[in-house]
Amino acid sequence: MPVQPMKTIAAVALSDASFGVPEMMAAGILTSAFVFVLGVTRLMKLVYWFVPLPVVRGIQLAQGLNFAMAAVKYIRYEQDLGKSKSLGRRPWAGLDGLVLAIVAIFFVVLVNGAGDDHSTAVQEEERGGDQEEDNSGRSSRLRKLRRRLRSATIPSAVILFVLGVVLGIIQHPAALRELRAGPSRMRVVRIPREAWKQGLIKGAIPQIPLSVLNSVVAVCKLTRDLFPEKKEASATSVSVTMGAMNLVGCWFGAMPCCHGAGGLAGQYKFGGRSGACVAALGGLKLALRLALGGSVLRVLAAFPVGLLGVLLLFAGVELAIAARDMSSKAEAFVMLVCTAVSLVGSSAALGFLCGMVAHGLLLLRALAVSI
């Protein structure tokens, strides 16, 4: 299960100069404590059961479209990511130009296509392989192995990431010279009383609805969509792990993180179909942190923003595609109400509320008509 920064807390930190590290840590601890309690008491199962699928799909669609629109902005315009502002139009040529981004988009589409149903393909392949094995023994096993090799997913995201790091170093060679050996020192963050207050008001309260809906409910539903042959992720376990990692990490300055439907969709889109890819990524990050400490951020900051936009675009599209299973007009109506309000109001909580109201009104209308 991938992890990603809590977006609302990160957005407040970027836009409010007074919202510093202590406030971020307080917001992360308070949000995670709430989710952790819901998980330990198994109340999250009740929340998961109570939220109808069209509302979840509306949140996923809104989040996916939000990612995709931000990605298009990253591709078209140069960015000041520190201030979350667009600058001038991105030039066509250069190591971070439009041509590079367009070529990267073509590459991902040619390699990954529209996102085939991997699990169904594997099941059909295994059934066909079993039948062939019954017929011709060893030769069928060889044909089965060849088919699997041909269908193996090329790690397009890893290729683009390595390319981006190389281009970033070429564009900003000084970043390589600033690397320093050894880990950075860890220290416990001191959180004064005022930081707890600001973290609760500005960070935790807006973040909690998004964490419950997008990081637990939507994630669990998405695991069922992406991996129908496996057991669906438990709302209880997802809540407990998300709460536990922040209740420990935030005291040492770790950015508040959560499981996210966008991260899971992106992982799946670019070929990550098991926990091994997350373990490998975590191991790589840990090794870099121990070897180079905070100085590695100098290299990552030079990563071409256009390529970053390409990766974000496909992750957003993959998340939004999950909304394709709405089979009735009523379900689509509720989903689109939730999506529209979430996007225009920039609030998943408000979209969730409007989606639940729309769903309730349609149920009342159906009941009245049946009577």
Side-chain angles (χ1 to χ4, degrees):
M1 187 72 70
V3 296
Q4 57 195 46
M6 292 185 180
K7 296 178 184 58
T8 302
I9 295 175
V12 175
L14 288 171
S15 61
D16 188 344
S18 66
F19 199 82
V21 172
E23 288 78 11
M24 277 192 287
M25 299 306 105
I29 292 170
L30 293 170
T31 301
S32 300
F34 181 84
V35 175
F36 184 80
V37 169
L38 286 180
V40 169
T41 59
R42 300 187 181 275
L43 289 174
M44 189 61 80
K45 280 190 173 181
L46 181 62
V47 175
Y48 181 73
W49 173 83
F50 177 72
V51 179
L53 184 60
V55 175
V56 176
R57 291 293 187 248
I59 294 169
Q60 290 176 322
L61 181 58
Q63 194 72 50
L65 292 176
N66 195 26
F67 284 169
M69 290 187 293
V72 172
K73 183 175 68 173
Y74 285 6
I75 294 170
R76 291 191 61 194
Y77 303 101
E78 294 184 324
Q79 301 291 316
D80 183 348
L81 294 180
K83 297 181 179 178
S84 192
K85 289 184 179 180
S86 297
L87 305 176
R89 286 184 176 274
R90 187 172 301 283
W92 283 92
L95 297 180
D96 191 13
L98 276 173
V99 171
L100 175 67
I102 292 171
V103 170
I105 291 173
F106 286 178
F107 170 72
V108 174
V109 172
L110 289 173
V111 169
N112 296 100
D116 298 330
D117 191 337
H118 175 77
S119 58
T120 302
V122 169
Q123 291 170 359
E124 291 177 353
E125 180 183 295
E126 289 178 347
R127 285 197 297 268
D130 291 340
Q131 292 172 357
E132 288 184 3
E133 191 168 338
D134 292 338
N135 295 331
S136 57
R138 184 179 176 185
S139 61
S140 69
R141 287 196 294 269
L142 291 175
R143 286 196 297 272
K144 182 178 177 181
L145 176 61
R146 285 196 295 269
R147 280 199 307 272
R148 291 197 173 205
L149 290 174
R150 284 197 299 269
S151 64
T153 304
I154 298 174
S156 55
V158 176
I159 294 172
L160 291 183
F161 174 75
V162 173
L163 174 64
V165 170
V166 172
L167 294 178
I169 292 173
I170 294 173
Q171 205 168 12
H172 303 281
L176 202 59
R177 294 193 294 269
E178 293 178 6
L179 291 176
R180 299 290 181 268
S184 301
R185 191 171 62 133
M186 276 173 49
R187 57 177 64 88
V188 177
V189 177
R190 179 178 169 273
I191 307 176
R193 181 180 298 179
E194 184 61 24
W196 285 107
K197 178 181 176 182
Q198 294 301 317
L200 173 65
I201 296 173
K202 295 182 179 180
I205 292 177
Q207 177 65 48
I208 284 173
L210 186 62
S211 291
V212 172
L213 297 172
N214 190 57
S215 304
V216 179
V217 177
V219 162
C220 293
K221 302 265 190 197
L222 189 61
T223 60
R224 185 186 63 190
D225 299 331
L226 299 180
F227 306 101
E229 77 283 4
K230 296 183 179 181
K231 184 179 178 181
E232 183 178 313
S234 162
T236 298
S237 63
V238 172
S239 304
V240 169
T241 57
M242 187 179 81
M245 67 182 175
N246 289 292
L247 290 174
V248 174
C250 286
W251 289 106
F252 298 95
M255 180 67 200
C257 286
C258 57
H259 303 305
L264 181 59
Q267 169 190 314
Y268 184 89
K269 173 66 180 179
F270 291 109
R273 307 292 162 81
S274 73
C277 66
V278 185
L281 177 62
L284 176 62
K285 288 181 177 180
L286 184 60
L288 286 174
R289 181 64 173 164
L290 292 173
L292 300 172
S295 65
V296 74
L297 291 175
R298 312 283 199 286
V299 175
L300 296 179
F303 192 90
V305 177
L307 280 184
L308 179 65
V310 172
L311 296 173
L312 186 62
L313 173 64
F314 286 101
V317 169
E318 184 69 24
L319 178 57
I321 284 176
R324 70 188 185 279
D325 63 350
M326 295 292 95
S327 57
S328 70
K329 192 170 183 179
E331 290 179 336
F333 174 80
V334 172
M335 177 188 72
L336 293 175
V337 166
C338 184
T339 299
V341 176
S342 296
L343 286 175
V344 176
S346 300
S347 170
L350 184 59
F352 166 76
L353 179 61
C354 292
M356 291 297 292
V357 170
H359 180 75
L361 291 175
L362 288 178
L363 287 180
L364 288 175
R365 181 179 183 276
L367 181 62
V369 170
S370 64
I371 293 175

